[in-house]
Amino acid sequence: MEAAQRGGFTYICIGQHFLYPSYRWLQPSPLLARRAGETDDNVRLATTVMIAPFYHPVVLAEQIGTLAAFAQAPIIVPLANGGRLQAFEAFGIAMSSRARRLEELTAVLRALLAGERVTFHGRYL
């Protein structure tokens, strides 16, 4: 992290995959949490994606809120549909439901992160 700051990096980005076959993939929330207190306000922490269909919005809101509490600069958390059939099968989720799951999670997540009280009845949430 110090080397990134000295080198003038603007972002530290961490991606996400589940059950990736060729190498180990560290999960972004704990890794960014580990680094959040070590950055200054010139370096932003970001995920390249969080695979939304695999998260409950309350859990994801708590993770993002925790990261934001420790980060010195705003964090960036793009959400994605995911695209690996093996991961969807492992989670027991139909891949065909991913777009709707992302839409529902995004609506609830935005409200939770804004501090709103949320009641939501969707197809998947």
Side-chain angles (χ1 to χ4, degrees), residues 6-102:
R6 283 193 311 271
F9 282 70
T10 306
Y11 294 94
I12 302 296
C13 297
I14 307 298
Q16 182 173 53
H17 284 285
F18 292 95
L19 303 170
Y20 206 73
S22 61
Y23 54 89
R24 293 178 192 239
W25 198 273
L26 299 174
Q27 290 300 305
S29 294
L31 187 54
L32 289 174
R34 167 70 174 87
R35 297 295 180 202
E38 300 173 354
T39 62
D40 60 28
D41 58 357
N42 296 316
V43 178
R44 290 196 167 95
L45 299 174
T47 64
T48 53
V49 296
M50 296 289 279
I51 304 174
F54 303 146
Y55 284 95
H56 188 283
V58 173
V59 172
L60 190 54
E62 291 280 338
Q63 289 182 7
I64 293 169
T66 300
L67 289 172
F70 290 103
Q72 302 298 314
I75 60 169
I76 300 165
V77 183
L79 302 176
N81 281 337
R84 294 192 64 249
L85 180 59
Q86 298 87 345
F88 280 88
E89 289 173 346
F91 277 90
I93 294 173
M95 196 165 168
S96 61
S97 70
R98 64 190 180 148
R100 182 70 180 153
R101 287 176 183 275
L102 174 63

